Amino acid sequence: MLRTRLTQMRAHAGRLVAAAVAIMIATTLVAAFMVAAGVLEKTAFNAVSVSHANADVILEEPYQGFSTEMVEQIRRQPEAAGADGRFVVHTVIRAGGRSDSPTVAPLPETPELRIELDEGRYPEARGEILVSHEIAERLDLDLGSSVELLDTSADVGLAGRSGGPGGQPADGLTVTGTFIHPGAAFDHNVPGMFGRAAEVELWSGHTTVRYERVIALASPGTSAEELRTALEPLADQVGTVVYTADEYARIMTARFTADSYILAAVLAALVGVALVVAGLVIANTFAVIVAQRTRELALLRCVGATRRQVRNGVLVEAGGLGVAASLAGIAAGIGLAQITIMVLRAVLDFPWFPERPEVSVLALLIPLVVGVTVTILAALAPARAATRVSPLAALRPPEPGGIGRGTSVRRLAAAAGVVVVGALLMVAGIGATARGQTELGLAIGVLGGALSFSGVVIGSVVLVTVIVAALSRPLRVAGVPGRMAALNALRHPRRTAATAVALLIGVTLVAMMSVGAASARATFAGELDARYPVDIAVGPVIDDTGRHRLPDEVLNVTEGVAGVGDLMPLRSSRALVRNAALEGDAALQPIEAEVHGVDVGRARDVMHAGIDDLEPGAAMVSRQITAMTGIDEGDLIQLQMGSQTIELRAVFAPVERHTILVTAADLAALDPDASIGMLWVKLADGSSAETVARTLRDQLSLLTTDMGIPVTTAGATRAEVSRVLDTMLMVVVGLLAVSVVIALIGIGNTLSLSVIERRRESATMRTLGLTRRQLRVMLAFEGVIVAAVAVFPGITLGLIYGWAGTLTAFGGVWDVALGVPWRWLAGIAGLAILAGLAASVLPGRRAARDDPITAVSAG
Amino acid sequence: MSVSVATEKRRAGVLAAGGHAVTASGLGKVYGTGATAVRALYEIDIAFEVGQFSAIMGPSGSGKSTLMHCLAGLDTATVGRVWLGDTELTHLDDTELTLLRRNRVGFIFQSFNLIPTLTARQNIELPMDLAGRRPDPDRLAELTTTLGVADRLDHRPAEMSGGQQQRVAIARALMADPDVVFADEPTGNLDSRTGAQVLDLLRRSVREFGQTVVMVTHDPVAASYADRVAMLSDGRLAGDLTDPTPDRIRAALDRLWECGQ
Ligand SMILES: Nc1ncnc2c1ncn2[C@@H]1O[C@H](COP(=O)(O)OP(=O)(O)O)[C@@H](O)[C@H]1O
Ligand SMILES: [Mg+2]
């Protein structure tokens, strides 16, 4: 029996090709996904290891940092061959008219603990530094290039310094070497520059340095474990833990991959979608093949094959197909991963990027098992249908392809019921989110979405009937080919429905994602306006005396930069902030803050969100300030500048941590001598925040001032959010495209199989005067009909799901705005219809190849 | 039964040119090439008169179907020329042949070949629809009444008996008022009584409506309904009978066999 089956399979190989391609694409995705996960982990591990050079143990981030004595103590341990502490200082540097603001860390004294050089040598003399590749590229630095150090400030989080400008900047720095930065994604602790320890300590502006981590090297003959054991008592003292380097790398890798966990879950879900779609295509293929082989199967039953043998025959065929296609898919997946790695290595030049994918046994087995299982599961129903073929069928004349049966009322009722329950759950999900239980809302919503979609799938036969009926009138205009296409599409409503559902899934998801992204963008637009009302801020700048003073040229330079639309100078001052309700001992330590005076009338021109709340007597403060002073919204807040004190009503606003906004008049009352300390810039329409900010930075760095002038841009953040949304949408849509391609193969496949089935009929039409072209047009219409059956419900559902999803995901936190990406939706519809047309090309050619004589030849 | 003016004129022209609906000259057909080549027809000269019911007879494999396919423009001859009326088919491309069939040729098949998705009426009107011509309701009524399927017009093929299906197929072949109707073993799938009805209808279409019918058959009784029988043997013409009876045909066939042995 097995042999008969395999012979059969070979004989009908052509009919299985499409199913094989479908399963192959899906397993390729599974295999590539598994391999990519491995590569990602390996890359993260390597990258983390690189940034700690040859360190054996790492002591990380105690609350008050490590003192110099502690580092000394670690060095003195007999188990340690060397140890160095790390802290970073923020800098502003300039070279050749361009500036950047990297962090700098002291170069370890222990040679083994120094980061690997890419080029050059380690700093030895005063003013020598090591820079990362990226910075060297950005500032166009070579070995020996000189760099100006404009400003420095120690890391606020660690140093807890009391303000004032950083340490004494050196006149000039010289680049002696470069290193490759592993990237902030893997380890944000790696600085952009290394300098000699003594100088970096000076730049920090602190008399006593505290290190945020210590890395140590084990003595010869001592293992990392032993060193760790030796250092544990010391670590206990400062309340931290010692990790061996391997442990640490693993932890960081896990942290990194946990960050990408959601991404992985989304990817896995998309791979799942591709598998389901492939399953549908396979199920359909086998259903059609069984239908076409009815006579042959009946003949087998006549000569004594049992039902079981017939069923197993179909399943064996599916299994064989599954194994062959999955193996091909796995090979393709690994090949894909290898090519990607080769390209990435060539483009990115990352030494810690593995040379070739590590293909684990699991990465081979899982796609194989998944591929074969999906294929066999998909073939179960057709196999059962095969057992129902009666031996008598062999004796009856061949029946022409089935004529559409009506849909059962029971099926329709079941579908409607499931859709209604699903819809109710989705509404409940939105409700739960609105009450603040977003997670519950999401859970219920996703369940409701899945359920309602299942309902649509169950009822898809009805959809086919309804949509084809709706289309048949316009199709009639296209004459006989159009009319015949409508009739043929209704001939096997189940087959048409199953074919369309495969595409429906893809169309729905793509539409849903684009509607979701449009809605998210609309929602964020308002949110971003409120959170980042100013495109670019230049300053604040504080002079040597501790007073705000923006050099006059800054205003002129800023006005002259292309892309600057409007700008408003703000007078600024520094004030001590107290809670006015607390007096004497109860009063908390006052906080120092920057107070800026806003011309409310002008503010509307340079800000995205109005600051209507800012009126005389009000102060806009960050939540951090209110938390530190114990002030509630509406409470009085006391600002003191020298001998002057004013009291204002606190209003919460998304301003910077140590920033307070008041009206220009109130500022004048507080500090009549306040001069301009900051500029707010509004971009001209259509200009990019990043470009303008970069130009501003470069031009300002050319000013003959020894002050670094900060240029901060929220416009970039705004663009970033939009870009993240776009990228996510692209990635998701790209992966969904795979499912859509599989679905299209399915349409082509179903059409091809129908063409084979209707050979005689098509030939008859040809003898009666149907031209080859008309025959192809007829099939094209059929392809379009199937696509239309997927497109119209798919876009409708996508719209509903996209909105429901946005409401469920964001409704709890933000005022959700619902967007409709009309162009996207039209594009999806157009592409899907075109694709349906394209899917008919090969079957159409095949059908047109047949001579009309086929009809006349008896049979 | 009404006949359109254009058709009338074309037929008048054909009659003037010698009165032949279909003409073949030196028609030969070889299937395949090289060692596997099969010579199905050897240079045949034959003509079928307008308004005549002709039969092509011969044993199985003698080339009857091949001859019909070439005459009807379904297949191309290897050598020789074929005319439908005064249109030469030999140089027409696929689309031209299709349009010619659509407008000027009717077909009746052994296994009826009705389109299962269409009702009887839609099947009958299909060639007219394809040609973009409006079917004449009077002609439809007249034809279907004559053929006895007027009450079956809204049924699909699956709901009709073989005889009824074949009568619908005849209506389909006659509906567009073609210059010639080709029928390949039209009674092959029918019992003898139903077969006789169908043959009688074909003969009436010739007698009463002036239709030209060329029928391929291997059944002497079926052939006896025709006005003329052309005999084929091993791809060659081997006799021509006018006003045949079953007995005369059998006798002719027997002679063929003897010659063959
Ligand atoms: N498509 C074909 N390919 C090769 N040989 C063919 C083909 N069609 C018919 N023949 C051969 O041509 C000869 C005539 O066949 P046919 O015209 O079908 O005979 P008939 O209809 O009289 O039975 C036979 O020998 C047959 O085997
Ligand atoms: Mg024959």
Side-chain angles (χ1 to χ4, degrees), chain A residues 402-408 461 465 490-494:
Chain A
I403 311 301
R405 271 164 298 155
T407 44
S408 84
V461 180
T465 325
L490 280 182
R491 208 163 173 158
H492 304 278
R494 287 244 188 122

Side-chain angles (χ1 to χ4, degrees), chain A residues 581-614:
Chain A
L582 302 176
E583 296 286 345
D585 292 346
L588 301 167
Q589 186 81 3
I591 298 167
E592 197 172 6
E594 309 209 349
V595 186
H596 303 284
V598 179
D599 177 348
V600 181
R602 280 279 288 133
R604 274 175 236 289
D605 302 333
V606 291
M607 297 176 78
H608 287 284
I611 40 173
D612 300 332
D613 293 346
L614 189 59

Side-chain angles (χ1 to χ4, degrees), chain A residues 323-335:
Chain A
V323 170
S326 300
L327 287 179
I330 291 167
I334 294 174

Side-chain angles (χ1 to χ4, degrees), chain A residues 487 760 764 766 769 774 855, chain B residues 94 101-102 111 113 116 118 129:
Chain A
L487 287 171
R760 232 167 65 95
T764 303
R766 295 267 293 119
Q774 283 178 309
Chain B
D94 184 77
R101 285 199 300 271
R102 184 196 269 183
S111 31
N113 289 23
L118 300 179
D129 282 348

Side-chain angles (χ1 to χ4, degrees), chain B residues 60-61 64-66 110 184-185 216:
Chain B
S60 189
K64 306 182 292 289
S65 296
T66 305
Q110 178 175 354
D184 193 355
E185 310 267 11
V216 163

